[in-house]
Amino acid sequence: MSSKNYHILIVDDDAEFHQQIRYAFRRQFLFSGAINEKQLFEKLSGEGHFDLILLDLVLDDSETKKGLDIVPQIAQRYPNIPVIIVTADRSIDTVVQAMKQGARNFLVKDDFDYDYWEQQFSAVIDGSKLKQENLVLRAEVDRRRAQENEAYPFIGESTQIKEIKRILKLVSEEPDVTVLITGETGTGKEVAARYLHAHGARSKQPFQAVNLSAIQDTLLESTLFGHKKGAFTGASRDMEGYFSQANTGILMLDEIGDIDQNIQIKLLRFLETKLIRPVGSDQDVQLDVQVVTATHRNLAAAVAEGRFRADLFQRLKAMVIELPPLRSRRDDIPLLLSHYFEVDDLQKVLTTAALNAMLNYNWVGNIRELKNTVNYAQLRARIQDKKRIDEHCLPTEITSEQPIVPVSFTQNNNTSGSAPTDNAGETPHAGPKNIDEEHALIDLDRIEKLLIQKNKVKKDVAIAIGLENTDNLRYRIKKHFEKHPHLFTNFPTISQSYRRIVK
């Protein structure tokens, strides 16, 4: 907005002063006028928005400084409109009192200087606008953060979970301590980290979570620490890493046990010095980041085997919080189901047999498997046109007496294009054997269709899926192939486009 669109209200009982200000700044600002307190508040309530008020301290012949009483009234009723006191009074005590009451600045009439006054008008207005914008942005950040917290609720009332919540709240009061969250895959380690963030000293600051195992080794350093333009092929501009994005807040590094020695050294350096060095830079960057790490691996065993640095492990385990598997806190399963089904009474959506089957299941994949099962069961119920989910809507491994162990397939350097065989030498059928395969099929089917729609342009497919680049797309497909190579016979477009990955 140009200064010409700024609307200033002059409040002064001297008509000549009104004319002087209007004439002097007629090219820069719009003006309205009031000669006393009554007109001032009539203008504020009737003429719409003003960007600045120029207020005289003495508004009548009594020589009483009524303006000092008016300033706090304006601040209370119209907090977004800044006030500049404009008066003939040069008293320092008056200046101090006016500023204490809420005035943004103080100008003396006898010291009129066109350039200086214009500068002060603009500075006060722009400062007020910036403050308002910051408040709006802060409110938006808080709203989005609240939505994130709602998306990652720490659900559970079992004794173990109550104790973990208590410890997390206590730890959150120490904004510089390094926290290591351990537990099996799917136990909710990111949920616990977000709970710590939401209740701590850094709750108003950023929270960044990154799964280290989901990033290619060659990209991990620049992804974490950033890079300078030209640092490597494809680095067309400077890029901030996750550490810089989390500055003043919390960075959660999930699957910390999967990083190589090079990244371990750089992470140790940051924990000791709070310094990072972006790839391709010759300058260190000082940051204030609390690091929360998580893993399902036994780091102590990794240290003993020489795969993980002992000094880094000592740094990471300053505070260790272990999350229990879901099978050891079965009392929380109904609470989790109520949350995922969005109902208070589970009988509305589940038969007794289905609920009992879910309560008695071992949940090797923990909460993540439970959530996936809910999605799977809802889909199956819709396909079978059932109002309530029964045991026939659940994955086979849940309703069988013993949980089904997924078949392990070996690649055996198969390059013939035929379907791989399992350890028994039988060719597996193309249909899903368990919920993990079910979700792999859904994901691969989506990629297959997008490759066809996007004329096999991998970058467009990656963007459509929500991935940052084609490397992440390839990595995602490679992960599916490592787990379920037999499924790829159903997706010829993927196999052809990524022959070097799935061969």
Side-chain angles (χ1 to χ4, degrees), residues 356-392:
N356 287 336
M358 297 176 83
L359 290 174
N360 293 325
Y361 180 58
N362 208 30
W363 297 112
V364 177
N366 295 293
I367 298 172
R368 184 177 296 132
E369 184 183 7
L370 176 67
K371 183 177 180 180
N372 290 338
T373 297
V374 169
N375 295 334
Y376 176 89
Q378 288 176 320
L379 178 60
R380 297 289 297 172
R382 286 198 297 270
I383 291 173
Q384 297 175 26
D385 195 24
K386 294 180 177 179
K387 293 183 178 180
R388 289 201 302 165
I389 293 169
D390 59 22
E391 66 271 26
H392 301 294

Short mmCIF file of all heavy atoms in Angstrom, two decimals, residues 356-392:
data_model
loop_
_atom_site.label_atom_id
_atom_site.label_comp_id
_atom_site.label_asym_id
_atom_site.label_seq_id
_atom_site.Cartn_x
_atom_site.Cartn_y
_atom_site.Cartn_z
N ASN A 356 -13.28 -58.27 19.43
CA ASN A 356 -12.50 -59.25 20.19
C ASN A 356 -11.28 -59.72 19.42
O ASN A 356 -10.19 -59.92 19.99
CB ASN A 356 -13.38 -60.45 20.56
CG ASN A 356 -14.38 -60.11 21.66
OD1 ASN A 356 -14.15 -59.17 22.44
ND2 ASN A 356 -15.48 -60.84 21.72
N ALA A 357 -11.45 -59.90 18.11
CA ALA A 357 -10.32 -60.33 17.28
C ALA A 357 -9.21 -59.28 17.30
O ALA A 357 -8.02 -59.61 17.38
CB ALA A 357 -10.79 -60.57 15.85
N MET A 358 -9.60 -58.02 17.28
CA MET A 358 -8.61 -56.94 17.28
C MET A 358 -7.97 -56.80 18.65
O MET A 358 -6.79 -56.46 18.76
CB MET A 358 -9.27 -55.63 16.84
CG MET A 358 -9.79 -55.69 15.40
SD MET A 358 -10.66 -54.21 14.87
CE MET A 358 -9.29 -53.18 14.40
N LEU A 359 -8.74 -57.04 19.70
CA LEU A 359 -8.18 -56.96 21.05
C LEU A 359 -7.19 -58.09 21.32
O LEU A 359 -6.23 -57.92 22.08
CB LEU A 359 -9.30 -56.99 22.09
CG LEU A 359 -10.21 -55.76 22.17
CD1 LEU A 359 -11.36 -56.00 23.14
CD2 LEU A 359 -9.41 -54.53 22.61
N ASN A 360 -7.41 -59.24 20.70
CA ASN A 360 -6.58 -60.41 20.97
C ASN A 360 -5.40 -60.55 20.02
O ASN A 360 -4.53 -61.39 20.22
CB ASN A 360 -7.43 -61.68 20.90
CG ASN A 360 -8.46 -61.74 22.01
OD1 ASN A 360 -8.20 -61.28 23.13
ND2 ASN A 360 -9.64 -62.27 21.72
N TYR A 361 -5.37 -59.73 18.99
CA TYR A 361 -4.30 -59.84 17.99
C TYR A 361 -2.98 -59.31 18.57
O TYR A 361 -2.96 -58.44 19.46
CB TYR A 361 -4.70 -59.05 16.74
CG TYR A 361 -3.67 -59.08 15.64
CD1 TYR A 361 -3.24 -60.28 15.07
CD2 TYR A 361 -3.12 -57.90 15.16
CE1 TYR A 361 -2.30 -60.30 14.06
CE2 TYR A 361 -2.19 -57.90 14.14
CZ TYR A 361 -1.77 -59.10 13.60
OH TYR A 361 -0.84 -59.12 12.60
N ASN A 362 -1.88 -59.80 18.04
CA ASN A 362 -0.57 -59.48 18.59
C ASN A 362 -0.03 -58.11 18.17
O ASN A 362 0.87 -57.57 18.79
CB ASN A 362 0.44 -60.56 18.18
CG ASN A 362 1.56 -60.70 19.18
OD1 ASN A 362 1.37 -60.45 20.37
ND2 ASN A 362 2.73 -61.07 18.71
N TRP A 363 -0.51 -57.54 17.06
CA TRP A 363 -0.13 -56.22 16.56
C TRP A 363 1.38 -56.05 16.47
O TRP A 363 1.97 -55.21 17.13
CB TRP A 363 -0.74 -55.10 17.42
CG TRP A 363 -2.24 -55.10 17.40
CD1 TRP A 363 -3.07 -55.39 18.43
CD2 TRP A 363 -3.08 -54.84 16.26
NE1 TRP A 363 -4.38 -55.33 18.02
CE2 TRP A 363 -4.42 -55.00 16.68
CE3 TRP A 363 -2.83 -54.51 14.93
CZ2 TRP A 363 -5.51 -54.83 15.83
CZ3 TRP A 363 -3.91 -54.35 14.07
CH2 TRP A 363 -5.22 -54.49 14.52
N VAL A 364 1.97 -56.85 15.61
CA VAL A 364 3.41 -56.77 15.38
C VAL A 364 3.81 -55.39 14.87
O VAL A 364 4.86 -54.85 15.21
CB VAL A 364 3.86 -57.85 14.37
CG1 VAL A 364 5.34 -57.73 14.07
CG2 VAL A 364 3.52 -59.23 14.92
N GLY A 365 2.93 -54.79 14.06
CA GLY A 365 3.20 -53.45 13.53
C GLY A 365 2.72 -52.33 14.42
O GLY A 365 2.78 -51.15 14.04
N ASN A 366 2.18 -52.68 15.60
CA ASN A 366 1.77 -51.70 16.61
C ASN A 366 0.70 -50.73 16.11
O ASN A 366 -0.17 -51.14 15.34
CB ASN A 366 3.00 -50.97 17.14
CG ASN A 366 3.92 -51.92 17.88
OD1 ASN A 366 3.56 -52.43 18.94
ND2 ASN A 366 5.10 -52.18 17.32
N ILE A 367 0.75 -49.48 16.54
CA ILE A 367 -0.32 -48.53 16.25
C ILE A 367 -0.45 -48.28 14.75
O ILE A 367 -1.56 -48.12 14.23
CB ILE A 367 -0.07 -47.20 17.00
CG1 ILE A 367 -0.08 -47.46 18.50
CG2 ILE A 367 -1.15 -46.17 16.64
CD1 ILE A 367 0.33 -46.26 19.32
N ARG A 368 0.67 -48.27 14.04
CA ARG A 368 0.60 -48.06 12.59
C ARG A 368 -0.20 -49.18 11.94
O ARG A 368 -1.02 -48.94 11.05
CB ARG A 368 2.00 -47.97 12.01
CG ARG A 368 2.02 -47.67 10.52
CD ARG A 368 3.43 -47.52 9.99
NE ARG A 368 4.09 -46.37 10.60
CZ ARG A 368 5.30 -46.39 11.13
NH1 ARG A 368 5.98 -47.52 11.16
NH2 ARG A 368 5.84 -45.31 11.63
N GLU A 369 0.04 -50.41 12.37
CA GLU A 369 -0.71 -51.53 11.81
C GLU A 369 -2.18 -51.43 12.18
O GLU A 369 -3.07 -51.74 11.37
CB GLU A 369 -0.13 -52.86 12.31
CG GLU A 369 -0.81 -54.07 11.67
CD GLU A 369 -0.28 -55.39 12.21
OE1 GLU A 369 0.51 -55.38 13.17
OE2 GLU A 369 -0.70 -56.44 11.68
N LEU A 370 -2.47 -50.99 13.39
CA LEU A 370 -3.86 -50.82 13.83
C LEU A 370 -4.58 -49.80 12.94
O LEU A 370 -5.70 -50.03 12.48
CB LEU A 370 -3.90 -50.38 15.29
CG LEU A 370 -5.30 -50.09 15.86
CD1 LEU A 370 -6.13 -51.37 15.93
CD2 LEU A 370 -5.20 -49.43 17.23
N LYS A 371 -3.92 -48.67 12.70
CA LYS A 371 -4.53 -47.63 11.87
C LYS A 371 -4.76 -48.13 10.44
O LYS A 371 -5.82 -47.90 9.85
CB LYS A 371 -3.62 -46.39 11.84
CG LYS A 371 -4.21 -45.22 11.07
CD LYS A 371 -3.30 -44.01 11.14
CE LYS A 371 -3.90 -42.83 10.37
NZ LYS A 371 -3.03 -41.63 10.43
N ASN A 372 -3.77 -48.83 9.89
CA ASN A 372 -3.93 -49.39 8.54
C ASN A 372 -5.05 -50.41 8.49
O ASN A 372 -5.78 -50.50 7.50
CB ASN A 372 -2.62 -50.02 8.08
CG ASN A 372 -1.54 -48.99 7.81
OD1 ASN A 372 -1.83 -47.82 7.57
ND2 ASN A 372 -0.28 -49.41 7.86
N THR A 373 -5.18 -51.17 9.57
CA THR A 373 -6.25 -52.17 9.63
C THR A 373 -7.62 -51.51 9.63
O THR A 373 -8.55 -51.99 8.99
CB THR A 373 -6.08 -53.05 10.89
OG1 THR A 373 -4.84 -53.76 10.79
CG2 THR A 373 -7.23 -54.04 11.01
N VAL A 374 -7.76 -50.41 10.35
CA VAL A 374 -9.02 -49.67 10.37
C VAL A 374 -9.37 -49.21 8.96
O VAL A 374 -10.51 -49.37 8.49
CB VAL A 374 -8.93 -48.47 11.33
CG1 VAL A 374 -10.13 -47.54 11.15
CG2 VAL A 374 -8.87 -48.95 12.78
N ASN A 375 -8.40 -48.64 8.25
CA ASN A 375 -8.65 -48.18 6.87
C ASN A 375 -9.04 -49.36 5.97
O ASN A 375 -9.96 -49.25 5.15
CB ASN A 375 -7.41 -47.49 6.31
CG ASN A 375 -7.08 -46.21 7.04
OD1 ASN A 375 -7.96 -45.57 7.63
ND2 ASN A 375 -5.82 -45.81 7.03
N TYR A 376 -8.32 -50.46 6.14
CA TYR A 376 -8.59 -51.67 5.34
C TYR A 376 -10.01 -52.19 5.64
O TYR A 376 -10.77 -52.51 4.71
CB TYR A 376 -7.55 -52.72 5.68
CG TYR A 376 -7.75 -54.06 5.01
CD1 TYR A 376 -7.20 -54.33 3.76
CD2 TYR A 376 -8.47 -55.08 5.66
CE1 TYR A 376 -7.38 -55.57 3.15
CE2 TYR A 376 -8.65 -56.31 5.05
CZ TYR A 376 -8.10 -56.55 3.80
OH TYR A 376 -8.28 -57.77 3.22
N ALA A 377 -10.36 -52.28 6.91
CA ALA A 377 -11.66 -52.82 7.30
C ALA A 377 -12.80 -51.93 6.81
O ALA A 377 -13.85 -52.43 6.39
CB ALA A 377 -11.72 -52.99 8.81
N GLN A 378 -12.62 -50.62 6.89
CA GLN A 378 -13.65 -49.70 6.40
C GLN A 378 -13.88 -49.89 4.90
O GLN A 378 -15.03 -49.89 4.43
CB GLN A 378 -13.25 -48.25 6.70
CG GLN A 378 -13.36 -47.89 8.17
CD GLN A 378 -12.85 -46.48 8.46
OE1 GLN A 378 -11.86 -46.04 7.89
NE2 GLN A 378 -13.54 -45.78 9.34
N LEU A 379 -12.79 -50.05 4.16
CA LEU A 379 -12.91 -50.27 2.72
C LEU A 379 -13.61 -51.59 2.42
O LEU A 379 -14.50 -51.66 1.57
CB LEU A 379 -11.52 -50.24 2.09
CG LEU A 379 -11.45 -50.50 0.57
CD1 LEU A 379 -12.25 -49.45 -0.19
CD2 LEU A 379 -10.00 -50.50 0.10
N ARG A 380 -13.21 -52.64 3.13
CA ARG A 380 -13.83 -53.95 2.93
C ARG A 380 -15.32 -53.93 3.27
O ARG A 380 -16.13 -54.55 2.58
CB ARG A 380 -13.11 -55.00 3.78
CG ARG A 380 -11.65 -55.22 3.42
CD ARG A 380 -11.51 -55.91 2.09
NE ARG A 380 -12.08 -57.25 2.10
CZ ARG A 380 -12.21 -58.01 1.03
NH1 ARG A 380 -11.84 -57.54 -0.15
NH2 ARG A 380 -12.73 -59.22 1.11
N ALA A 381 -15.68 -53.20 4.33
CA ALA A 381 -17.10 -53.11 4.71
C ALA A 381 -17.91 -52.41 3.62
O ALA A 381 -19.04 -52.81 3.32
CB ALA A 381 -17.24 -52.38 6.05
N ARG A 382 -17.33 -51.38 3.01
CA ARG A 382 -18.05 -50.68 1.93
C ARG A 382 -18.19 -51.59 0.71
O ARG A 382 -19.24 -51.62 0.07
CB ARG A 382 -17.30 -49.41 1.54
CG ARG A 382 -17.43 -48.29 2.56
CD ARG A 382 -17.06 -46.94 1.96
NE ARG A 382 -15.67 -46.89 1.53
CZ ARG A 382 -14.67 -46.50 2.29
NH1 ARG A 382 -14.90 -46.15 3.56
NH2 ARG A 382 -13.44 -46.47 1.84
N ILE A 383 -17.13 -52.33 0.40
CA ILE A 383 -17.19 -53.24 -0.74
C ILE A 383 -18.26 -54.31 -0.51
O ILE A 383 -19.01 -54.68 -1.43
CB ILE A 383 -15.81 -53.90 -0.96
CG1 ILE A 383 -14.81 -52.85 -1.46
CG2 ILE A 383 -15.90 -55.05 -1.96
CD1 ILE A 383 -13.38 -53.34 -1.54
N GLN A 384 -18.34 -54.81 0.72
CA GLN A 384 -19.30 -55.88 1.05
C GLN A 384 -20.67 -55.33 1.45
O GLN A 384 -21.57 -56.09 1.80
CB GLN A 384 -18.73 -56.74 2.18
CG GLN A 384 -17.44 -57.46 1.81
CD GLN A 384 -16.83 -58.21 2.98
OE1 GLN A 384 -17.53 -58.60 3.92
NE2 GLN A 384 -15.51 -58.41 2.93
N ASP A 385 -20.80 -53.99 1.40
CA ASP A 385 -22.07 -53.32 1.72
C ASP A 385 -22.58 -53.71 3.11
O ASP A 385 -23.75 -54.07 3.31
CB ASP A 385 -23.13 -53.67 0.66
CG ASP A 385 -24.34 -52.72 0.73
OD1 ASP A 385 -24.17 -51.59 1.24
OD2 ASP A 385 -25.43 -53.12 0.29
N LYS A 386 -21.67 -53.61 4.09
CA LYS A 386 -22.03 -53.92 5.48
C LYS A 386 -22.05 -52.64 6.30
O LYS A 386 -21.18 -51.79 6.17
CB LYS A 386 -21.03 -54.91 6.07
CG LYS A 386 -21.06 -56.28 5.42
CD LYS A 386 -20.05 -57.22 6.05
CE LYS A 386 -20.14 -58.61 5.42
NZ LYS A 386 -19.13 -59.54 6.00
N LYS A 387 -23.06 -52.51 7.15
CA LYS A 387 -23.18 -51.33 8.00
C LYS A 387 -22.18 -51.36 9.14
O LYS A 387 -21.75 -50.31 9.63
CB LYS A 387 -24.61 -51.23 8.55
CG LYS A 387 -25.65 -50.94 7.50
CD LYS A 387 -27.03 -50.77 8.11
CE LYS A 387 -28.06 -50.44 7.04
NZ LYS A 387 -29.43 -50.27 7.63
N ARG A 388 -21.85 -52.58 9.60
CA ARG A 388 -20.85 -52.71 10.66
C ARG A 388 -19.74 -53.64 10.21
O ARG A 388 -19.96 -54.57 9.44
CB ARG A 388 -21.48 -53.26 11.95
CG ARG A 388 -22.39 -52.30 12.67
CD ARG A 388 -22.56 -52.68 14.13
NE ARG A 388 -23.10 -54.02 14.32
CZ ARG A 388 -23.08 -54.69 15.47
NH1 ARG A 388 -22.54 -54.13 16.54
NH2 ARG A 388 -23.61 -55.90 15.56
N ILE A 389 -18.56 -53.37 10.70
CA ILE A 389 -17.40 -54.19 10.36
C ILE A 389 -17.45 -55.49 11.16
O ILE A 389 -17.52 -55.45 12.40
CB ILE A 389 -16.10 -53.43 10.64
CG1 ILE A 389 -15.98 -52.23 9.68
CG2 ILE A 389 -14.89 -54.33 10.54
CD1 ILE A 389 -14.88 -51.26 10.05
N ASP A 390 -17.43 -56.62 10.46
CA ASP A 390 -17.36 -57.90 11.17
C ASP A 390 -16.00 -58.55 10.91
O ASP A 390 -15.14 -57.97 10.26
CB ASP A 390 -18.51 -58.83 10.75
CG ASP A 390 -18.50 -59.14 9.26
OD1 ASP A 390 -17.43 -59.00 8.62
OD2 ASP A 390 -19.57 -59.50 8.73
N GLU A 391 -15.81 -59.75 11.42
CA GLU A 391 -14.50 -60.40 11.31
C GLU A 391 -14.11 -60.69 9.87
O GLU A 391 -12.92 -60.81 9.55
CB GLU A 391 -14.46 -61.69 12.15
CG GLU A 391 -15.39 -62.80 11.67
CD GLU A 391 -16.79 -62.71 12.28
OE1 GLU A 391 -17.20 -61.58 12.65
OE2 GLU A 391 -17.45 -63.75 12.38
N HIS A 392 -15.11 -60.76 8.97
CA HIS A 392 -14.81 -61.04 7.56
C HIS A 392 -14.24 -59.81 6.85
O HIS A 392 -13.72 -59.93 5.74
CB HIS A 392 -16.06 -61.52 6.84
CG HIS A 392 -16.65 -62.77 7.43
ND1 HIS A 392 -16.00 -63.98 7.40
CD2 HIS A 392 -17.82 -62.97 8.11
CE1 HIS A 392 -16.74 -64.90 8.01
NE2 HIS A 392 -17.84 -64.32 8.45
#
